[in-house]
Amino acid sequence: MSDRDRDPLVLDAMLGTLATYLRMCGYDAAYALDRDAEANADLLALAHTEARRLVTRDADLARAAPDSVLLTERAVDDQLRELADAGFTLELADPPTHCGTCNGRLEAVDRTEPTPEYAPDPADEPLWRCRDCGQHFWKGSHWDDVAETLASL
């Protein structure tokens, strides 16, 4: 994997599901709607000021951003294939590094820490918590579904 492969990314408003997949693969993947950057000018400014590579389905927007990635497909599986063809490494990060919800950094939850009711007991299963939004993550059925999708690319 090259350093460029894990460049910080920013995804346009049409790519919210893809942002979640990329985060699960260890990418720092900002999403336009999470960052109040729906307008093209705001998205370009975000890409520039945070040195993020733009991933978009908008050809005009792609032309305006150096080194952007233009996707043509609508379905997330097809978008993932396009990224794989463009040289992106698409494997689940182990351990997970980025929150699928907000892109914050994850930290391991100690086995003795209390957790929300929706999360398994950390004494039984490894858990991670987002430093920004506080959501808890573990390798459950969603993890397995994403792994299966990535394996099929």
Side-chain angles (χ1 to χ4, degrees):
M1 164 183 10
S2 70
D3 290 337
R4 176 183 154 79
D5 185 44
R6 296 294 180 175
D7 284 345
L9 305 171
V10 61
L11 287 81
D12 74 20
M14 296 181 274
L15 300 174
T17 302
L18 182 61
T20 300
Y21 275 82
L22 289 172
R23 291 166 179 170
M24 290 180 72
C25 290
Y27 287 89
D28 175 355
Y31 175 51
L33 296 182
D34 290 343
R35 302 293 296 277
D36 294 324
E38 189 170 354
N40 286 359
D42 295 336
L43 197 54
L44 290 169
L46 177 63
H48 175 74
T49 59
E50 294 186 10
R52 292 180 177 276
R53 189 172 182 198
L54 175 66
V55 180
T56 183
R57 289 192 57 236
D58 181 325
D60 292 333
L61 186 58
R63 279 190 289 278
D67 201 30
S68 63
V69 178
L70 176 63
L71 302 179
T72 59
E73 299 293 339
R74 289 182 184 264
V76 72
D77 294 13
D78 295 329
Q79 293 167 351
L80 289 164
R81 277 187 199 86
E82 285 183 294
L83 289 175
D85 291 345
F88 283 71
T89 300
L90 298 174
E91 299 168 347
L92 288 170
D94 193 15
T97 58
H98 288 85
C99 176
T101 303
C102 77
N103 198 43
R105 296 295 291 187
L106 298 181
E107 60 188 3
V109 174
D110 186 79
R111 296 173 54 93
T112 61
E113 287 185 56
T115 56
E117 287 186 29
Y118 67 82
D121 186 333
D124 298 333
E125 185 167 348
L127 290 179
W128 296 268
R129 176 183 44 247
C130 177
R131 294 177 185 168
D132 293 342
C133 74
Q135 185 163 340
H136 286 71
F137 295 90
W138 61 96
K139 295 179 182 179
S141 61
H142 182 62
W143 182 270
D144 295 338
D145 293 344
V146 171
E148 186 176 314
T149 297
L150 295 174
S152 73
L153 300 178

